[in-house]
Amino acid sequence: MLQDEAVHPADMPSADTPDPSSMRAHYRAEGIAEHDLAASPYDQFSRWFKDAAAAGLHEPNAMVVSTADAAGRPSSRTVLLKAFDERGFVFFTNYTSRKGRELAENPHLSLLFPWHPLARQVIVTGTAERIGRDETAAYFRTRPHGSQLGAWASEQSAPIASRDELERAYEELAARYPEGEQVPAPPHWGGYRVTPDAIEFWQGRLNRLHDRLRYVREGAPEAGQWRVERLAP
Ligand SMILES: Cc1cc2nc3c(=O)[nH]c(=O)nc-3n(C[C@H](O)[C@H](O)[C@H](O)COP(=O)(O)O)c2cc1C
């Protein structure tokens, strides 16, 4: 809240504010069994990602990325997944942002895909590493011109004086790089690849007897060896 903004009584929860304690969804009965799982968690992720897209979920590639600083203080935010394969999960951001600074101190993170309409979530835990500049540049070229300028204009996560300041920075860049002109990828912006050490597939079921199946990596990432364990819901 801004300092000069008072809390007006009308803003406080009132009779027409939904009561979260009475909100209860009944989850689908079909579950997921060990014998249904793909041998590789990437193939399993690919199946569920396809289901999420086919179900018409809005931005099924939106995931909650949680990081922590060197002291273990956590922070979370939504980020878009831009690629995945046997090497891991890739997203793009500003390297000097809060998440970028935290990942520089502590590469451990988690990714959570909240596919609520399917009563599913996938949780990836692992470590993040910056991808190569060539890979970043190749992706940056595919972004719309306006998003390319936005990546330059915004010192992500830093306090700014006003919206005007941001828009002025954008306009200056737009004058320097008119539409159609090649915009280079900013050096402070790029991708991270998350190498998973575990991937959990959660399927909501009746009576809170949900299925939770977790692939746990055994050995080096290149070995592609995983064991699967079932977790209590
Ligand atoms: C649906 C959605 C998608 C987003 N995608 C990205 C993204 O791909 N990369 C990114 O840096 N921020 C993305 N953001 C903004 C982040 O949530 C966040 O505000 C920003 O990265 C700064 O986070 P930080 O200060 O914790 O580093 C997205 C936000 C939403 C709601």
Side-chain angles (χ1 to χ4, degrees):
M1 192 178 59
L2 295 173
Q3 271 162 351
D4 55 357
E5 240 178 52
V7 175
H8 191 269
D11 295 336
M12 301 300 284
S14 60
D16 59 357
T17 304
D19 173 5
S21 74
S22 65
M23 292 176 168
R24 210 160 269 125
H26 294 287
Y27 293 147
R28 45 194 271 156
E30 310 98 87
I32 175 163
E34 285 77 348
H35 61 257
D36 296 327
L37 288 179
S40 150
Y42 299 107
D43 292 339
Q44 185 59 38
F45 181 84
S46 177
R47 286 182 194 173
W48 275 25
F49 188 57
K50 264 189 222 157
D51 290 348
L57 261 59
H58 180 66
E59 297 194 300
N61 60 328
M63 57 188 185
V64 177
V65 176
S66 299
T67 52
D69 64 14
R73 282 180 294 249
S75 66
S76 300
R77 77 289 292 155
T78 308
V79 169
L80 297 177
L81 175 75
K82 285 293 166 182
F84 71 91
D85 60 21
E86 301 282 324
R87 294 171 301 162
F89 296 82
V90 176
F91 65 89
F92 291 86
T93 193
N94 186 310
Y95 289 141
T96 62
S97 65
R98 178 174 183 177
K99 73 184 94 47
R101 279 182 276 120
E102 292 185 358
L103 287 171
E105 289 177 18
N106 171 6
H108 297 278
L109 80 173
S110 83
L111 312 177
L112 185 149
F113 294 85
W115 293 327
H116 301 171
L118 298 176
R120 285 179 175 173
Q121 70 180 347
V122 175
I123 302 173
V124 176
T125 52
T127 50
E129 230 182 340
R130 291 184 186 192
I131 64 173
R133 288 316 288 171
D134 290 356
E135 205 177 339
T136 285
Y139 171 69
F140 193 77
R141 281 194 293 275
T142 69
R143 285 166 64 94
H145 184 71
S147 309
Q148 292 179 336
L149 297 179
W152 275 103
S154 164
E155 200 187 320
Q156 195 177 56
S157 315
I160 50 173
S162 65
R163 166 115 207 147
D164 280 355
E165 181 182 310
L166 183 65
E167 290 183 355
R168 260 199 313 277
Y170 183 93
E171 292 311 327
E172 278 171 28
L173 285 155
R176 204 158 110 209
Y177 298 105
E179 189 80 50
E181 190 136 324
Q182 190 69 256
V183 182
H188 57 266
W189 188 95
Y192 285 100
R193 177 170 281 108
V194 176
T195 303
D197 47 46
I199 307 184
E200 178 191 332
F201 293 85
W202 187 99
Q203 174 70 69
R205 298 193 61 185
L206 276 182
N207 301 323
R208 298 311 189 245
L209 300 181
H210 315 304
D211 286 324
R212 300 180 62 189
L213 294 174
R214 179 165 68 185
Y215 293 77
V216 180
R217 180 158 60 76
E218 300 205 301
E222 312 77 68
Q225 292 290 325
W226 302 87
R227 81 184 138 80
V228 173
E229 57 194 17
R230 178 176 282 269
L231 304 177

